[in-house]
């Protein structure tokens, strides 16, 4: 429930951003958490502080023309929403997926602002991308698209202004092509303008792994509060991209067994435990579909594939669920199936993958629930470490970088847990994350005046 004093803020957001349901959902969730903090500190209602937090500082929408392999001209739409720079330069990934529109980028930028605040690092919030569909495109087409996209975007970026990274459909290859074009256009080797770079031209060790590892660390801390651990647990991880793959790696190192993974075409169940090397072969080397995992695993293995139209990955019984594909992928029906199969913890690797109804069901069933803006913050935190290394022209070891990541994730967990307790809802990580993130952004905005 949203408190009465904040209802006009939400009404205004709904009116001003018509037809953007994901953005409405993200704002509503944060405003619903702020009741206790407003009761304790009514001064946050002054100077339209909360209204300003809900309004992006700048939104850029642009045409991206490019030529495909058949010589045909294609047009896509590019976006960058620079949401909030009270804590530092705008920071947040670029998403290339046909579903991308301004509402989705706005919801992601809004979430990113609080997530970045939770890391404790000097980074503001932003997000961008395009409705370009990379699936089935040749390497040459991907490069030409990235170059055209950057030809407009570069003028809005800078290591002290706005620093994008990857997200769905944008990995090391795309970051490389965009950095190449940025360098050419600006005639500057400004390594800190993009993160997620490869190691040989300014990337950080452990950045590729950071989001999946980070979510696993967060869940580990959450399980520990109940005397539990990953050891011997059955785990289901949706998606099979960057976040999902490195979640598998870390869960396995903690003794957990990942029994199912997916992509948009369906899911694979492997009761022996997902074979990480085969998974990487399918997804990172062949850039193929998750169903091809079975081909590599062999027909005798007992592993099987279920098409997306036939069932949901959340029907597979597990102790820990890690939704790591996309927004609103885990519905109320899925949550009921997970609860009846005995799930004890859910950690969001993706951004807002769990619907509000599903979160309510987990809450009622006392399932530990880690919201994405806290649990998947390891990616952006390590991006900030990449910026630090670029600024000092340094390169840290994997161990050094991963131990900083683990430390940051522990701090985010403890901050969310203690904030939830302070505001009367122990164990409510959604409330804890929203309030802790909000307070840091709000304090900075207040100090900077009405800008
Ligand atoms: P990738 O592009 O590497 O992988 C995305 C995976 O999710 C693919 O397996 C994809 O399947 C699946 N997927 C995407 N859209 C859908 C859909 N509509 N239905 C079902 N499956 C879908 O992206 P990432 O792993 O980088 O990102 C995954 C999530 O994590 C996103 O929500 C992202 O915002 C979030 N995130 C990522 C961070 C990062 O560092 N990369 C940081 C923080 C959050 P298919 O190939 O079939 O489309």
């Amino acid at each position: 429930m949203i408190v009465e004093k904040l209802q006009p803020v939400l009404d205004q957001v709904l009116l001003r951003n018509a037809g953007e349901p994901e953005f409405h959902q993200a704002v509503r969730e944060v405003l619903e958490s702020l009741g206790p903090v407003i009761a304790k500190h009514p001064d946050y209602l002054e100077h339209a502080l909360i209204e300003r937090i809900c309004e992006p500082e700048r939104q850029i929408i642009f045409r991206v023309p490019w030529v495909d392999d058949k010589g045909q001209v294609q047009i896509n739409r590019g976006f960058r929403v620079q949401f909030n720079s009270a804590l530092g330069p705008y920071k947040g990934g670029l998403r290339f997926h046909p579903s991308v529109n301004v509402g989705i980028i706005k919801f992601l930028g809004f979430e990113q602002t609080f997530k970045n605040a939770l890391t404790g690092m000097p980074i503001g919030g932003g997000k961008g991308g395009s409705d370009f569909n990379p699936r089935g495109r040749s390497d040459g087409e991907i490069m030409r698209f990235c170059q055209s996209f950057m030809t407009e975007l570069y003028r809005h970026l800078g290591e002290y202004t706005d620093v994008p990274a990857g997200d769905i459909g944008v990995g090391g290859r795309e970051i490389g092509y965009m950095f190449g074009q940025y360098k050419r256009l600006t005639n500057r080797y400004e390594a800190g303008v993009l993160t997620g770079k490869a190691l040989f031209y300014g990337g950080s060790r452990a950045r590729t792994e950071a989001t999946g590892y980070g979510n696993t660390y967060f869940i580990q801390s959450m399980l520990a509060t109940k005397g539990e651990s990953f050891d011997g647990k059955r785990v289901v991880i949706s998606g099979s991209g960057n976040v999902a793959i490195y979640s598998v790696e870390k869960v396995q190192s903690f003794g957990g067994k990942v029994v199912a993974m997916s992509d948009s075409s369906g899911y694979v169940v492997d009761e022996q435990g997902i074979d990480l090397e085969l998974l990487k072969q399918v997804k990172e080397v062949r850039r193929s579909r998750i169903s091809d995992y079975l081909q590599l695993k062999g027909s005798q293995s007992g592993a099987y594939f279920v098409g997306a139209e036939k069932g949901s990955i959340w029907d597979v019984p597990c102790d820990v669920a890690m939704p790591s594909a996309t927004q609103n992928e885990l519905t109320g029906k899925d949550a009921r199936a997970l609860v009846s199969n005995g799930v004890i913890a859910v950690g969001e690797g993706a951004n807002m993958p769990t619907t509000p109804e599903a979160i309510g069901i987990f809450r009622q069933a006392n399932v530990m629930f880690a919201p994405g803006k806290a649990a998947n913050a390891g990616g952006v935190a390590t991006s900030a470490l990449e910026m630090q290394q670029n600024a000092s022209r340094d390169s840290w070891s994997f161990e050094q970088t991963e131990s900083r990541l683990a430390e940051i994730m522990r701090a985010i967990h403890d901050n969310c847990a203690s904030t939830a307790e302070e505001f009367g809802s122990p164990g409510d990580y959604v409330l804890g994350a929203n309030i802790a993130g909000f307070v840091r952004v709000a304090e900075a905005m207040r100090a900077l005046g009405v800008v």
Side-chain angles (χ1 to χ4, degrees):
M1 275 295 288
I2 192 161
V3 294
E4 208 184 324
K5 286 189 175 138
L6 292 177
Q7 189 61 47
V9 181
L10 182 62
D11 292 343
Q12 179 70 9
V13 166
L14 302 187
L15 194 69
R16 194 176 260 161
N17 305 278
E20 298 176 5
E22 293 86 1
F23 182 50
H24 302 169
Q25 182 182 334
V27 172
R28 182 179 281 113
E29 189 212 275
V30 169
L31 295 183
E32 278 177 356
S33 294
L34 296 186
V37 82
I38 296 303
K40 211 163 167 180
H41 305 283
D43 47 311
Y44 283 135
L45 290 167
E46 292 168 11
H47 309 300
L49 187 59
I50 301 177
E51 286 86 338
R52 280 188 285 140
I53 281 187
C54 296
E55 180 68 15
E57 288 177 17
R58 188 175 298 111
Q59 306 180 49
I60 302 146
I61 302 185
F62 52 99
R63 181 172 70 196
V64 188
W66 57 284
V67 181
D68 69 16
D69 285 347
K70 296 191 189 105
Q72 303 285 324
V73 176
Q74 301 280 343
I75 303 291
N76 285 99
R77 188 171 276 187
F79 303 89
R80 186 71 181 165
V81 173
Q82 298 180 329
F83 218 106
N84 195 302
S85 60
L87 292 171
Y90 309 105
K91 180 91 200 84
L94 298 170
R95 176 177 291 192
F96 292 169
H97 193 271
S99 63
V100 163
N101 57 44
V102 70
I104 287 185
I105 297 299
K106 238 190 257 180
F107 117 65
L108 289 164
F110 181 75
E111 290 278 296
Q112 192 81 45
T113 300
F114 301 105
K115 178 188 310 193
N116 294 2
L118 284 170
T119 66
M121 302 171 108
I123 40 179
K127 198 84 185 187
S130 173
D131 57 3
F132 171 69
N133 186 359
R135 173 115 39 100
R137 290 294 178 189
S138 69
D139 199 51
E141 289 177 318
I142 299 279
M143 183 176 74
R144 289 194 294 281
F145 176 81
C146 289
Q147 289 175 339
S148 180
F149 183 80
M150 188 51 90
T151 300
E152 170 57 34
L153 189 64
Y154 87 98
R155 67 189 91 245
H156 309 289
L157 306 183
E159 64 180 314
Y160 300 114
T161 312
D162 185 350
V163 182
D167 191 77
I168 292 177
V170 179
R173 174 179 57 166
E174 292 75 18
I175 292 290
Y177 292 148
M178 286 191 273
F179 183 70
Q181 185 73 350
Y182 182 87
K183 187 174 79 62
R184 187 178 190 193
L185 288 165
T186 58
N187 195 29
R188 282 160 64 89
Y189 205 104
E190 193 186 335
V193 74
L194 283 172
T195 59
K197 301 181 292 298
L199 286 183
F200 42 85
Y201 70 93
S204 171
R205 292 189 175 78
R207 174 61 189 94
T208 307
E209 294 83 355
T211 308
Y213 277 23
N215 187 24
T216 313
Y217 279 122
F218 192 103
I219 299 170
Q220 184 196 40
S221 295
M222 193 166 72
L223 289 169
T225 64
K226 299 270 163 74
E228 295 276 3
S229 76
F230 269 107
D231 198 24
K233 296 281 188 302
R234 280 174 69 88
V235 181
V236 169
I237 302 178
S238 64
S240 46
N242 171 266
V243 178
I245 290 171
Y246 291 95
S247 303
V248 176
E249 189 161 290
K250 197 40 102 183
V251 166
Q252 290 181 345
S253 80
F254 286 163
K257 184 169 158 189
V258 180
V259 291
M261 302 197 65
S262 65
D263 62 20
S264 56
S265 56
Y267 64 95
V268 157
V269 179
D270 186 348
E271 288 291 344
Q272 293 173 354
I274 292 286
D275 182 323
L276 185 62
E277 287 318 308
L278 292 190
L279 176 69
K280 286 185 176 175
Q281 185 68 23
V282 173
K283 285 292 170 181
E284 292 186 334
V285 181
R286 300 187 178 191
R287 295 180 184 275
S288 182
R289 311 306 296 153
I290 191 73
S291 49
D292 286 351
Y293 175 87
L294 298 184
Q295 263 186 357
L296 294 186
K297 185 88 203 245
S299 53
Q300 308 299 318
S301 68
Y304 59 93
F305 174 75
V306 181
E309 66 298 341
K310 296 227 174 74
S312 160
I313 189 172
W314 308 117
D315 293 334
V316 179
C318 63
D319 304 302
V320 180
M322 299 169 70
S324 305
T326 194
Q327 64 273 1
N328 291 326
E329 53 159 309
L330 198 166
T331 64
K333 182 169 165 285
D334 296 325
R336 276 187 282 277
L338 282 165
V339 168
S340 71
N341 285 326
V343 73
I344 61 166
V346 179
E348 293 188 321
N351 286 308
M352 211 170 75
T354 315
T355 65
E357 185 195 4
I359 295 176
I361 290 164
F362 291 139
R363 235 189 217 127
Q364 254 186 346
N366 275 324
V367 173
M368 290 178 264
F369 180 80
K373 65 168 75 69
N376 71 34
V380 74
T382 309
S383 276
L385 300 180
E386 183 173 334
M387 291 162 74
Q388 279 184 29
Q389 292 169 74
N390 294 150
S392 57
R393 300 187 187 279
D394 198 358
S395 177
W396 305 347
S397 70
F398 193 95
E399 292 68 29
Q400 186 185 359
T401 319
E402 195 192 346
S403 84
R404 286 288 306 274
L405 167 66
E407 207 177 287
I408 291 165
M409 294 315 297
R410 212 168 306 119
I412 297 175
H413 171 274
D414 294 353
N415 187 12
C416 294
S418 62
T419 305
E421 199 156 318
E422 180 189 342
F423 287 92
S425 299
D428 187 341
Y429 290 89
V430 173
L431 186 110
N434 285 338
I435 292 184
F438 165 81
V439 167
R440 185 159 182 245
V441 178
E443 287 298 333
M445 285 180 72
R446 187 149 58 187
L448 299 184
V450 179
V451 291

